[in-house]
Amino acid sequence: MPQTKLASANRVAFLGQLSASIAEINQPISAVVMNAEAALRLLLAQPTDTEAVRRLLACIVKDGMHTGDIVNRTRALIKESAATEGMPGDQRCDPRGH
């Protein structure tokens, strides 16, 4: 019985971590969308402020990389949980071998 309670507690903790990761993804994705919209508006302006557009594009790259880091951490969490629970991990085909 204690084993069952421990497994249940582990699943609840995992779901809490997964939920937090999903919520964490929203911030950089929102920033990417807002910065892209601002860059589009700047490109339509006359004269175009190319330096401001460049800064916005740099922010988009940074936020995109941050989102990728969050996704990678989340995937590692899922794989770790699957290994702990004896479940198969992420079985998708990845041409990069990851």
Side-chain angles (χ1 to χ4, degrees):
M1 185 69 161
Q3 197 73 9
T4 304
K5 286 185 179 183
L6 179 60
S8 179
N10 283 341
R11 279 190 289 280
V12 169
F14 166 75
L15 290 174
Q17 290 175 318
L18 183 60
S19 178
S21 293
I22 291 168
E24 186 182 1
I25 290 172
N26 282 331
Q27 189 277 328
I29 289 175
S30 295
V32 164
V33 170
M34 289 187 312
N35 286 330
E37 288 173 341
L40 287 171
R41 283 191 304 274
L42 284 171
L43 287 172
L44 293 174
Q46 295 300 323
T48 300
D49 184 350
T50 56
E51 180 56 27
V53 173
R54 188 202 62 75
R55 286 192 306 270
L56 286 167
L57 291 173
C59 288
I60 290 169
V61 169
K62 178 183 66 86
D63 289 330
M65 293 177 79
H66 181 211
T67 302
D69 291 342
I70 295 167
V71 169
N72 287 335
R73 285 196 319 265
T74 304
R75 287 183 74 198
L77 174 69
I78 291 168
K79 284 182 181 182
E80 179 182 317
S81 178
T84 302
E85 296 290 324
M87 300 178 331
D90 186 354
Q91 299 296 318
R92 291 179 297 158
C93 179
D94 186 342
R96 297 171 295 162
H98 295 114

